[in-house]
């Protein structure tokens, strides 16, 4: 996995030399106390859909797939074009030839769900599998669980995406990140005619990155790059020798099945995973919040809320181990911590968290959205984000 870090470093350098610009030292800001960007009306920009788990897997995504058909097809086209230079255009040929058989190896209900979506949008199953893998890999994020002075828990995250693909020099934006805005949907997951949990998804992606189980717990999953064993699991799976779970599917299963914070934490610490990940979990009462740093087969560390510690009223996680320094080019942790502390526990709430996550470098050119969750009320708000001012990264 050190190799992946090196690779990311190389990608940075390639991108930078392409742009003929060296990185300015990133500017970090904290808008707390200066500006309020929280506007609940904007949450309406992201539409809600029901996905009914009692419907056959093949048809339960039909409404979303039909509505976002054009965007899904176009985004897959963009992924193809962007990946073209890397593999001399061979990638997609290879995918069309090989991924459809892999589709058959996907566990249920994901296999039928992905097939159903592929049919609806009229693309080969293999391309939809690639599309789902793509999301699984290219996301970086910041997640926060925090409790207010009364012990009420909040959970928030930024999802950054588009890992350095398709830089547009004219308007200084990442093409993928822009396009993803058109793909974000909120989902009410229904079971027995009732709401089981809420999440948001990119249309066509069937895993879970963020969810609230009303009254019980909240979770976000953050990519974990910097340890040994990273994509070994994915490669093993592609070669047909792995049986571990995709991260976003493991997340979904725990969200669907666990009946308490404790049970969710237990499962997040023990599931066999295809790739390392951080699970950030919030419960429904004081002290219930943690960052679980996962390797593929074991848990490496757990950091929990701790009222006795200074700033122990929140945990904040980016994509680096809590006990190690972040990659210096990509420090979203230090600015995030400073801004949380500037807000302070007394001002914790959706507006405060949104403003922390709308401050650079937590808000950056790769940020696709911010999500805010509160477990007791089951409030779940998704905000599309664009960083237009001078902000990292570029
Ligand atoms: C870059 O952005 C400009 C302005 O929005 C647009 O006209 C141009 O087509 C974009 N270039 C590419 C390669 O997408
Ligand atoms: C940049 O241009 C693309 C079109 O190439 C457009 O989709 C996107 O919204 C623009 N981004 C910004 C930040 O203006
Ligand atoms: C909190 O979760 C527990 C399960 O761990 C549940 O029994 C309890 O009713 C929940 N409390 C609230 C206030 O929803």
């Amino acid at each position: 996995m050190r190799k992946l870090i090196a690779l990311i470093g190389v990608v940075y350098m390639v991108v930078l030399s392409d742009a003929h610009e060296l990185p300015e030292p990133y500017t970090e800001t904290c808008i707390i106390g200066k500006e309020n960007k929280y506007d609940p009306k904007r949450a309406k920009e992201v539409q809600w859909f029901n996905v009914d788990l009692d419907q056959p897997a093949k048809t339960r995504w039909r409404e979303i797939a039909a509505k976002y058909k054009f965007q899904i097809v176009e985004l897959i086209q963009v992924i193809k074009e962007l990946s073209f230079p890397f593999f001399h255009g061979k990638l997609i040929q290879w995918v069309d030839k090989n991924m459809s058989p892999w589709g058959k190896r996907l566990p249920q209900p994901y296999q039928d769900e992905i097939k159903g979506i592929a049919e609806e949008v009229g693309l080969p199953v293999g391309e939809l599998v690639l599309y789902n893998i793509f999301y699984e890999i290219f996301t970086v994020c910041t997640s926060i669980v925090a409790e207010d002075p009364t012990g009420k828990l909040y959970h928030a995250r930024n999802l950054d995406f588009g890992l350095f693909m398709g830089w547009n020099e004219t308007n200084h934006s990442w093409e993928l990140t822009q396009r993803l805005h058109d793909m974000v949907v909120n989902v009410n997951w229904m079971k027995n005619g009732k709401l089981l949990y809420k999440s948001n998804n990119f249309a066509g992606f069937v895993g879970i990155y963020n969810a609230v189980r009303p009254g019980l717990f909240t979770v976000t999953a953050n990519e974990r790059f910097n340890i040994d064993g990273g994509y070994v699991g994915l490669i093993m799976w592609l070669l047909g020798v792995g049986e571990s779970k995709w991260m976003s599917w493991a997340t979904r299963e725990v969200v669907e099945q666990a009946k308490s914070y404790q049970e969710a934490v237990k499962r997040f610490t023990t599931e066999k995973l295809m790739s390392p990940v951080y699970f950030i979990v919030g419960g429904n009462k004081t002290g219930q919040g943690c960052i679980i740093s996962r390797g593929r087969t074991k848990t490496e560390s757990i950091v929990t809320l701790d009222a006795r510690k200074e700033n122990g009223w929140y945990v904040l996680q980016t994509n680096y181990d809590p006990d190690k320094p972040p990659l210096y080019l990509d420090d979203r942790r230090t600015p995030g911590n400073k801004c949380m502390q500037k807000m302070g526990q007394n001002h914790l709430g959706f507006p405060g968290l949104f403003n922390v996550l709308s401050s650079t470098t937590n808000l950056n050119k790769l940020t696709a959205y911010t999500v805010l969750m509160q477990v007791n009320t089951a409030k779940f708000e998704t905000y599309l984000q664009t960083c237009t001012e001078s902000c990292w990264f570029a």
Side-chain angles (χ1 to χ4, degrees):
M1 254 321 79
R2 312 238 151 77
K3 286 201 191 110
L4 184 64
I5 288 235
L7 180 68
I8 292 170
V10 169
V11 174
Y12 270 102
M13 290 311 141
V14 169
V15 167
L16 292 171
S17 59
D18 260 13
H20 305 293
E21 285 170 14
L22 283 172
E24 296 185 16
Y26 60 78
T27 39
E28 74 179 64
T29 59
C30 177
I31 63 171
I32 292 283
K34 294 182 191 140
E35 204 182 333
N36 176 25
K37 290 200 176 167
Y38 180 68
D39 174 7
K41 285 199 288 301
R42 276 195 49 224
K44 297 204 183 73
E45 287 171 13
V46 179
Q47 215 186 319
W48 282 93
F49 292 88
N50 285 359
V51 170
D52 187 349
L53 293 165
D54 296 321
Q55 289 257 321
K58 262 199 150 168
T59 57
R60 61 174 69 133
W61 291 98
R62 191 171 274 166
E63 188 191 356
I64 294 177
K67 179 137 196 200
Y68 289 86
K69 178 178 172 162
F70 174 74
Q71 288 92 329
I72 294 171
V73 171
E74 217 188 40
L75 187 58
I76 290 178
Q77 188 57 36
V78 172
I79 294 173
K80 286 187 194 177
E81 279 164 18
L82 292 177
S83 57
F84 199 84
F86 293 102
F87 301 98
H88 308 285
K90 295 273 170 25
L91 179 69
I92 286 301
Q93 282 172 23
W94 184 78
V95 163
D96 283 340
K97 204 163 133 237
N98 295 298
M99 286 297 236
S100 290
W102 279 328
K104 294 199 190 73
R105 291 219 331 270
L106 298 178
Q108 295 293 6
Y110 313 110
Q111 183 183 132
D112 281 354
E113 290 185 8
I114 289 176
K115 272 188 197 153
I117 296 167
E119 270 169 30
E120 187 66 45
V121 304
L123 286 177
V125 175
E127 293 190 12
L128 259 296
V129 175
L130 175 74
Y131 178 81
N132 271 266
I133 292 181
F134 204 72
Y135 283 118
E136 182 91 10
I137 298 178
F138 289 110
T139 48
V140 280
C141 334
T142 304
S143 290
I144 301 168
V145 174
E147 87 174 58
D148 77 6
T150 68
K152 195 170 164 192
L153 285 157
Y154 292 86
H155 197 148
R157 89 101 59 94
N158 271 5
L159 187 124
D160 304 349
F161 187 92
L163 205 64
F164 320 120
M165 289 178 92
W167 178 243
N168 185 320
E169 277 206 59
T170 317
N171 73 359
H172 282 226
S173 68
W174 296 96
E175 187 172 357
L176 271 180
T177 308
Q178 292 298 321
R179 291 201 181 238
L180 283 171
H181 278 162
D182 302 334
M183 320 281 306
V184 184
V185 295
N186 291 316
V187 179
N188 287 312
W189 296 76
M190 308 300 289
K191 181 90 191 155
N192 302 324
K194 288 199 306 245
L195 173 72
L196 185 63
Y197 61 102
K198 297 179 183 177
S199 75
N200 61 14
N201 283 58
F202 293 111
F205 178 73
V206 302
I208 290 290
Y209 277 123
N210 335 287
V212 55
R213 256 303 278 277
L216 298 183
F217 60 88
T218 50
V219 62
T220 54
N222 285 15
E223 209 78 36
R224 183 171 185 229
F225 297 113
N226 52 343
I227 70 152
D228 294 317
Y231 293 105
V232 174
L234 179 60
I235 291 161
M236 277 166 61
W237 180 81
L238 290 172
L239 295 175
V241 290
E243 38 166 337
S244 43
K245 285 180 184 162
W246 289 22
M247 175 263 280
S248 64
W249 296 354
T251 311
R252 177 171 155 185
E253 282 158 31
V254 175
V255 171
E256 279 175 18
Q257 292 156 17
K259 292 183 181 61
S260 67
Y261 168 78
Q262 289 88 349
E263 190 186 340
V265 169
K266 179 147 194 273
R267 287 202 44 189
F268 283 130
T269 52
T270 51
E271 291 278 344
K272 270 183 119 187
L273 303 167
M274 194 131 83
S275 57
V277 63
Y278 303 101
F279 291 115
I280 300 87
V281 196
N284 68 8
K285 63 169 197 255
T286 180
Q288 291 186 335
C290 65
I291 302 166
I292 302 167
S293 302
R294 278 297 313 267
R296 286 192 300 122
T297 54
K298 62 179 207 293
T299 292
E300 319 243 337
S301 76
I302 303 185
V303 178
T304 47
L305 293 177
D306 186 351
R308 291 160 305 178
K309 278 198 311 214
E310 198 188 356
N311 299 314
W313 56 278
Y314 73 91
V315 288
L316 180 147
Q317 175 61 28
T318 61
N319 301 92
Y320 305 95
D321 287 2
D323 58 347
K324 298 195 187 87
L327 190 66
Y328 80 102
L329 267 171
D330 178 29
D331 185 5
R332 284 161 289 131
R333 184 200 295 164
T334 312
N337 277 327
K338 273 197 238 162
C339 208
M340 281 298 284
Q341 287 155 29
K342 188 165 173 201
M343 172 182 73
Q345 189 179 18
N346 290 333
H347 296 106
L348 176 60
F350 277 11
L353 285 170
F354 186 80
N355 286 326
V356 168
L357 289 172
S358 300
S359 299
T360 57
T361 55
N362 289 106
L363 178 69
N364 57 66
K365 291 269 182 188
L366 296 169
T367 306
Y369 63 73
T370 297
V371 57
L372 305 171
M373 302 185 273
Q374 208 289 314
V375 67
N376 310 98
T377 57
K379 264 172 92 181
F380 186 103
E381 297 176 358
T382 305
Y383 295 92
L384 302 178
Q385 287 274 29
T386 308
C387 194
T388 45
E389 300 121 50
S390 78
C391 51
W392 197 88
F393 176 79

